[in-house]
Amino acid sequence: MAGEKKTKQKVCPVASKCGGCQWINKSYEEQLKAKSMSFRKLMEPYCRPEAIIGMENPKYYRNKVHAVFGEDQRHNAISGIYEEKSHRIVPVDSCLIENQKADKIIVSIRGLLKSFKIRPYNEDTGFGLLRHVLIRTGYATGEIMVVLVLSSPIMPSKNNFVKALLKLHPEITTIVLNVNDKDTSMILGEREKAIYGKGYIEDRLGGMTFRISPGSFYQVNPVQTEKLYAKAMEYAGLTGKETVLDAYCGTGTIGMIASRDAGRVLGVELNKDAVRDAVSNARRNRISNIRFYLNDAGKFLLEMAEEKMPLDVLLMDPPRSGSSEEFLTAAAKIAPGRIVYISCNPVTLVRDLKFLTKKGYRTQKCVAVDMFPYTDAVEAVCLLSK
Ligand code: SAH
């Protein structure tokens, strides 16, 4: 145990306190092997997986970086992460899996605080202004958004602060003030205002442009997302005529990429903000054969089944908890020729495959995609057909 702790510390000085990278002490080759083996074992009753899709450069992949701000005992500003399962701040300047520019910007912001007399927020006393910094980067566009999360809407000499930060980092394309005055573990509050640039960034994925606002959902590993979606499209085998449903569609990324090769696409999603972003993304990319619905995916599919609506290909990407029995029953009733199941949790994936197998589907192909190197998370895509 002590030996393991030492190896971890060599790669990352805060690994044992952070707990984010469960596999920091494994080489990348070993990580891929372990993920591949555990996936193969889980999938054994259903399908032999293709070779796992890993990263060429498995470091610094996270396009979204968060730092919590606070003070040490001498009232010096510190920034970093919460210690695992606590609210103590562990100072971090650079992280193995985070975008490096983002990490540097966070260090610069910390360095500017004193001369601008900005105090980090103190959770216990409620004094201080700066609670968090969130940085989101566009991999293909190079755009960078800095979100300063404050405890109050008033930031003294904010224009000069913006000037000073841009002087150090001219690559920043937008800066947003977000106000979070609640006693909460959520990072972002509800009010926000752009104090430099347009208030959001854009990124490109699968040849489409997507808008990323401070709070919108967007996959955190852009390099692997490209490969994941390409695999999903390969499995979908679209020819231009099909009716496709993108279930659990988030901001519509998969459905929009599918829309180029499909007759028409429907997207269904439970989160109101995600649906709003999906609609604006479709408009931004001038896609006219897609429609998004704000609904529970299971209820929506049940309605489709009752109205006997035809469906050729079902794309589904449920959350960690997997799909619901209602959804899967309705899917079997509608009986699309192909189901492409994207999963971020192989355990619930296998549970759902078991159900669909009983309804006459067979898993034809499957593959694991390593979206989160250095962690134990496995993402997978499966193709099912009758
Ligand atoms: N396919 C998207 C998002 C996948 S994350 C992408 O790749 O970017 C899973 C999504 O399912 C989340 O956006 C979540 O809000 C949504 N979701 C969770 N439960 C749902 C339900 N019961 N019905 C519809 N959508 C749901």
Side-chain angles (χ1 to χ4, degrees), residues 236-300:
L238 301 172
T239 64
K241 294 195 273 300
E242 293 83 359
T243 298
V244 177
L245 174 66
D246 178 3
Y248 310 91
C249 70
T251 50
T253 39
I254 300 173
M256 283 173 54
I257 291 168
S259 71
R260 280 184 305 219
D261 304 314
R264 68 189 190 114
V265 179
L266 317 174
V268 62
E269 161 65 47
L270 200 52
N271 180 301
K272 197 165 92 246
D273 295 337
V275 172
R276 191 202 57 212
D277 286 352
V279 170
S280 101
N281 282 333
R283 207 174 291 139
R284 167 80 176 73
N285 291 280
R286 300 197 177 146
I287 300 172
S288 53
N289 61 342
I290 196 163
R291 277 199 69 177
F292 294 102
Y293 298 86
L294 176 65
N295 202 344
D296 170 81
K299 284 205 184 99
F300 185 80

Side-chain angles (χ1 to χ4, degrees), residues 9 19 66 86 89 134 146 162 164-165 169 179 227 256 269 378 383:
Q9 271 171 353
H66 158 241
S86 94
I89 298 172
L134 181 72
V146 174
V162 167
L165 185 58
H169 296 282
V179 184
K227 296 183 199 163
M256 283 173 54
E269 161 65 47
V378 178
L383 168 63

